[in-house]
Amino acid sequence: MRIAIFNGHIIDPANKLDELAGLYIEDGKIVAIGDAPAGFEPQTLIDAQGKIVCPGFIDLSTRLREPGQTHKATIQSETHAAASAGFTCLCIPPDTRPVIDTPEVLELIKDKAEQCAYKHIYPIAALTQKLAGKELSCMYALKQAGCIAVGHAQAAIQDLLVLRRAMEYAATHDLLLMYCPQESALSNQGCAHEGAMASRYGLSGIPVAAETIALMQCIELIEQTGCRVHFRGLSSGRAVSLIAKAKQSGLAVTADVGMHHLHLCDTDMRPFDSHYHVLPPLRSQQDKEALLAGVQDGIIDAICSDHQPHDVDAKLGAFPETEPGMATIEAVLPLMLRLVEQGNLDLVQGIASLSEFPAKILAINAGHLAIGGIADVCIFDAHEKWQINQQTWQSRGQNTPFWQDAMLGRVCFTIQAGKVIYSQ
Amino acid sequence: MFVDKDLQLNSLGKLKHFLSIQGQEQSLLTEILNTAESFADISAQQVKKFPLLRGKTIVNLFFENSTRTLATFELAATRLSADVLSMNIATSATSKGESLLDTIRNLEAMQVDMFVVRHSLSGAAHFIAQHTAPHISVINAGDGQHEHPTQAMLDMFTIRRAKQQFSGLRIAIVGDILHSRVARSQVHALNILGAEEVRVIAPKTLLPVEVESLGVSVYHDLTAGLKNVDVIIMLRLQKERMNSALLPSESEYFKCFGLSDEKLKIANKDAIVMHPGPINRGVEISSSVADGPQSVILQQVTNGIAVRMAIMSMAMQSNNARAE
């Protein structure tokens, strides 16, 4: 398949490209940027006039809900949603049912994705068996089977000795640990940020310390074990400060934040509206601002969708008993552009935080537009207005607080390994 | 985050659901108190029944155990001539939203007019009000740690009867504020009705974070907190608080935060003592205070019927108004 994309505004942060140019793809690879190679005869022509051409987005945490929870979503439905949102690589947390703790489950997911014609699925293997926090998973076998990293999703690891040994063992096999810092004893089954809002509405609170204490413990264990760690889904300003300090001291740690945490805080919640029920919780306005500053300063490396589609029933109940998580992946691009519009983020950095930086965290050859490199490309119109509704939304999960919101910026084409996997 | 006032009032601005005190206007709370006065007067007479809700069906839906609240709601509904069905539905921690919704749907199918709901989770009454048929009113009889608005209104009624007005009053709420839906409703009601000062007195383990934002001053010392106070509201201390490392022992709690005759003397001479019940004698309050001349604890129970009659009839009237 030969594709020519012409008249587009190419933005490739990794290669510092920011210009009007053509992009040419053949056999899944980028063969030229600028002028077409001699004798290039495209089978597909894409006029990208007025549009931005950038690397396909890479998501560090996408729940597909398959296997095990296909009543919520499927690999088919969510890879389609991801493609429509410009994402060409997805990291899958291990909390599927069964858990991704054997090569068989991992291969099953990869096979299913391939059947859905979605190529770049990166399962994150469970750090411990069944995510129970007790026995180590077969990390070597899981690495052989192709896991991108190890992690524990939002399951607690209550025993620090287990965490220490798991980190040592992961380091033995040079596996990246993707760690969601949350001390479950302090979270104490809370469902909202411990602050004035939770106090007012009688919701049990999760203190910031639940995040920072787990973060500090893990940082100390990095010093001890030499494990490579990426901190997933930070929610507080104090966590940003701790990451900054760790980076200053020379530790090779990275971090990301969910896009919704850059847009919402606890005071934005509509009373008892379960669509705002997420883990970690939406925290204070100051936390939101500190997270944003963290992204601007590069302390937080990447922005993530933390996409968690749910069935209707999961969100139907009194707030504390509903399941946490938002379906977000299709809102990521317009929400990034909203930050740019608000003057809170530079467009190039915004694109990098969704492509170049997550690729670096995962140490994969992606997230850039290089000649000879895999052709993962997103083409979007930064000015197209649309509304999130039944007609436009692809994900099976409609659990988003942004439902029916007006959005600015929409994906026109998504190309994965040289193949158009989405066109508007 | 704000409580959706529209959810509680109908299109004419009249009470439809009574879910929280937060977000209500002073005029509405005063109307409830005034309506309750008229019921209280007549309730003292021999014939206690009114035909106001004849032909209406009220379901008391209690997902959490209760004796007094359920009893007073039953009596209130009966005295308004409504048909009453009381359901005690034991709930397990694993019970899901769909079963809550299914319960509501099933009862709706029996053509009821009002749900009085008690549930162990904050926001449950809101959830039911949002998902129930439009002709049904929902009264919150306590949801998790959020609010217990009818209890707060009967407390306001009791205070107004004793003190005539709210302006100039200093009120101290003592005890487990953290887990108390009653305290949250009381704080909102007292502030809306124009009390001079609302104090909360408790150890730090039993106070929600940033509790000042609710409009209270905070004391950790009972002696300091009771000075110049006109109304003392003691909260019940649940025994399980000892097991979850919130308090060391009942006796230490009583020493620090229990209301004894001696401590009561610190407050204003004519201060009244209140308690939403049931009382733990010797834990949060001594028997001599609970049964003493300044105690209005049993009046609270009596007043509960009139206040609940007022709220039920007002909510039902707004529904009738809409139907016509």
Side-chain angles (χ1 to χ4, degrees):
Chain A
M1 174 71 94
R2 288 181 299 278
I3 303 170
I5 303 162
F6 59 99
N7 287 335
H9 176 178
I10 295 184
I11 298 181
D12 178 19
N15 293 304
K16 301 202 163 38
L17 271 182
D18 189 350
E19 62 194 36
L20 288 175
L23 189 112
Y24 304 91
I25 296 166
E26 187 169 4
D27 291 338
K29 298 214 161 120
I30 295 169
V31 289
I33 296 171
D35 296 326
F40 187 81
E41 282 180 23
Q43 293 148 304
T44 304
L45 270 170
I46 296 174
D47 182 358
Q49 175 89 42
K51 301 188 172 66
I52 289 168
V53 179
C54 69
F57 302 141
I58 299 168
D59 198 20
L60 294 171
S61 179
T62 320
R63 256 70 168 200
L64 305 177
R65 303 301 191 194
E66 194 179 352
Q69 291 182 294
T70 49
H71 60 291
K72 292 185 187 292
T74 61
I75 290 175
Q76 172 90 53
S77 70
E78 300 319 289
T79 52
H80 180 62
S84 77
F87 284 84
T88 50
C89 297
L90 306 174
C91 295
I92 314 305
D95 55 353
T96 48
R97 295 180 193 172
V99 163
I100 310 177
D101 60 357
T102 61
E104 288 73 19
V105 179
L106 198 148
E107 277 154 14
L108 173 87
I109 293 172
K110 288 196 144 190
D111 285 351
K112 282 253 181 181
E114 212 165 292
Q115 284 166 26
C116 301
Y118 195 94
K119 276 212 157 66
H120 307 321
I121 288 276
Y122 294 122
I124 302 163
L127 187 65
T128 61
Q129 290 178 35
K130 296 189 164 57
L131 289 174
K134 295 205 166 79
E135 296 154 292
L136 303 186
S137 64
C138 301
M139 291 184 222
Y140 175 72
L142 287 158
K143 188 182 180 185
Q144 294 299 106
C147 73
I148 188 82
V150 286
H152 66 123
Q154 270 156 344
I157 300 175
Q158 271 154 346
D159 189 337
L160 278 176
L161 184 61
V162 173
L163 180 60
R164 177 206 165 157
R165 297 211 161 126
M167 287 172 72
E168 283 172 337
Y169 194 70
T172 305
H173 297 296
D174 193 28
L175 275 163
L176 173 72
L177 169 61
M178 294 176 88
Y179 188 71
C180 306
Q182 183 163 233
E183 169 52 51
S184 60
L186 286 173
S187 298
N188 197 19
Q189 297 172 326
C191 62
H193 167 60
E194 188 177 277
M197 283 301 136
S199 293
R200 181 169 290 260
Y201 287 95
L203 298 171
S204 42
I206 301 174
V208 166
E211 176 166 282
T212 50
I213 284 176
L215 187 59
M216 283 194 280
Q217 285 177 335
C218 189
I219 287 172
E220 287 300 311
L221 288 174
I222 295 170
E223 303 255 19
Q224 180 96 28
T225 62
C227 182
R228 287 191 292 130
V229 176
H230 170 73
F231 290 101
R232 266 247 50 251
L234 300 186
S235 68
S236 68
R238 271 159 57 194
V240 177
S241 310
L242 288 171
I243 296 288
K245 234 190 257 173
K247 285 188 168 183
Q248 269 164 22
S249 74
L251 275 191
V253 295
T254 52
D256 75 61
V257 60
M259 182 62 90
H260 49 284
H261 278 278
L262 300 175
H263 286 271
L264 299 170
C265 55
D266 62 349
T267 49
D268 293 320
M269 293 165 75
R270 292 184 52 234
F272 304 117
D273 183 341
S274 59
H275 290 133
Y276 294 88
H277 186 188
V278 284
L279 271 184
L282 299 172
R283 296 201 181 273
S284 69
Q285 176 74 24
Q286 291 91 314
D287 286 310
K288 186 180 94 173
E289 284 162 12
L291 289 165
L292 204 46
V295 172
Q296 290 159 354
D297 300 342
I299 295 163
I300 296 179
D301 305 84
I303 304 175
C304 168
S305 83
D306 203 5
H307 179 67
Q308 299 187 34
H310 279 297
D311 54 320
V312 173
D313 288 345
K315 288 289 183 183
L316 212 50
F319 189 93
E321 70 178 336
T322 57
E323 292 182 48
M326 289 179 190
T328 48
I329 199 159
E330 291 160 80
V332 166
L333 172 69
L335 289 177
M336 185 272 278
L337 292 169
R338 194 183 284 182
L339 294 176
V340 173
E341 175 136 333
Q342 290 163 348
N344 285 320
L345 196 64
D346 172 71
L347 177 63
V348 174
Q349 197 190 357
I351 291 172
S353 67
L354 294 171
S355 56
E356 181 193 357
F357 300 149
K360 279 193 174 147
I361 291 165
L362 300 170
I364 55 173
N365 184 16
H368 54 77
L369 302 174
I371 294 168
I374 291 174
D376 286 351
V377 183
C378 168
I379 303 171
F380 67 88
D381 182 342
H383 305 291
E384 185 179 333
K385 286 185 186 143
W386 62 291
Q387 190 201 37
I388 296 182
N389 59 36
Q390 208 78 37
Q391 280 73 44
T392 57
W393 197 251
Q394 308 294 327
S395 169
R396 188 77 71 77
Q398 299 186 346
N399 49 303
T400 167
F402 300 107
W403 194 253
Q404 294 198 321
D405 275 13
M407 293 281 158
L408 197 61
R410 201 167 180 197
V411 172
C412 312
F413 291 93
T414 305
I415 297 165
Q416 186 185 52
K419 201 177 139 211
V420 177
I421 57 167
Y422 172 79
S423 65
Q424 202 185 339
Chain B
M1 194 148 110
F2 56 94
V3 159
D4 200 350
K5 206 164 75 181
D6 297 343
L7 187 61
Q8 303 201 68
L9 304 181
N10 72 5
S11 53
L12 304 168
K14 293 283 182 191
L15 190 69
K16 154 107 170 113
H17 303 299
F18 197 51
L19 309 174
S20 66
I21 299 285
Q22 190 191 188
Q24 304 286 11
E25 301 283 342
Q26 191 187 60
S27 57
L28 183 97
L29 300 192
T30 307
E31 190 188 341
I32 292 172
L33 297 180
N34 293 345
T35 311
E37 273 303 342
S38 64
F39 284 124
D41 291 343
I42 309 169
S43 292
Q45 295 171 7
Q46 288 235 311
V47 179
K48 299 185 174 73
K49 272 205 161 187
F50 301 84
L52 277 174
L53 300 187
R54 181 175 293 155
K56 300 287 183 188
T57 306
I58 294 176
V59 177
N60 292 319
L61 203 50
F62 278 54
F63 293 91
E64 212 181 54
N65 287 331
S66 155
T67 29
R68 271 153 324 111
T69 305
L70 180 57
T72 52
F73 265 111
E74 274 184 13
L75 273 177
T78 312
R79 288 189 186 169
L80 291 167
S81 311
D83 297 318
V84 188
L85 173 67
S86 288
M87 303 184 72
N88 252 315
I89 303 167
T91 178
S92 70
T94 53
S95 84
K96 286 278 179 209
E98 46 272 48
S99 69
L100 181 57
L101 198 59
D102 281 340
T103 311
I104 298 301
R105 289 268 181 272
N106 277 291
L107 290 166
E108 267 175 15
M110 299 173 201
Q111 282 151 355
V112 305
D113 301 286
M114 177 180 278
F115 288 125
V116 176
V117 183
R118 167 168 289 195
H119 199 283
S120 61
L121 293 174
S122 303
H126 259 75
F127 173 75
I128 292 171
Q130 278 165 332
H131 289 88
T132 196
H135 70 278
I136 295 174
S137 282
V138 178
I139 308 288
N140 183 3
D143 64 324
Q145 300 165 14
H146 174 226
E147 286 220 35
H148 192 351
T150 63
Q151 173 72 41
M153 287 316 294
L154 75 87
D155 295 333
M156 297 307 112
F157 185 86
T158 310
I159 293 172
R160 197 173 79 164
R161 279 207 151 179
K163 300 286 178 189
Q164 282 75 50
Q165 55 179 14
F166 292 92
S167 64
L169 286 187
R170 284 200 160 76
I171 299 98
I173 306 174
V174 188
D176 186 359
I177 314 289
L178 177 64
H179 300 93
S180 177
R181 52 195 175 208
V182 176
R184 281 177 181 77
S185 287
Q186 287 167 339
V187 167
H188 292 308
L190 289 164
N191 281 321
I192 291 168
L193 289 166
E196 174 77 21
E197 187 191 7
V198 185
R199 299 175 181 177
V200 292
I201 309 173
K204 287 189 172 185
T205 49
L206 296 181
L207 283 171
V209 295
E210 298 179 43
V211 66
E212 301 86 346
S213 66
L214 296 178
V216 296
S217 30
V218 179
Y219 290 81
H220 303 302
D221 174 4
L222 188 61
T223 308
L226 288 181
K227 267 185 199 131
N228 305 320
V229 155
D230 305 293
V231 178
I232 306 168
I233 302 173
M234 302 304 296
L235 297 175
R236 176 180 164 82
L237 186 77
Q238 306 280 348
K239 307 247 180 207
E240 57 261 31
R241 306 298 172 228
M242 312 302 158
N243 306 331
S244 45
L246 289 161
L247 290 173
S249 73
E250 291 180 0
S251 63
E252 179 155 319
Y253 181 77
F254 185 73
K255 268 181 216 150
C256 298
F257 299 98
L259 191 63
S260 59
D261 289 305
E262 205 176 279
K263 294 272 171 60
L264 180 56
K265 282 186 191 134
I266 300 164
N268 288 345
K269 273 210 175 71
D270 58 350
I272 55 169
V273 176
M274 302 173 69
H275 192 300
I279 298 172
N280 287 314
R281 289 168 187 267
V283 180
E284 68 259 358
I285 191 166
S286 72
S287 279
S288 55
V289 173
D291 304 330
Q294 285 168 270
S295 165
V296 294
I297 294 171
L298 289 176
Q299 276 137 273
Q300 286 175 270
V301 179
T302 310
N303 295 340
I305 301 167
V307 168
R308 283 167 178 139
M309 285 169 81
I311 292 164
M312 284 173 154
S313 60
M314 282 168 66
M316 213 61 111
Q317 265 161 22
S318 73
N319 269 358
N320 287 344
R322 230 170 68 118
E324 286 156 15

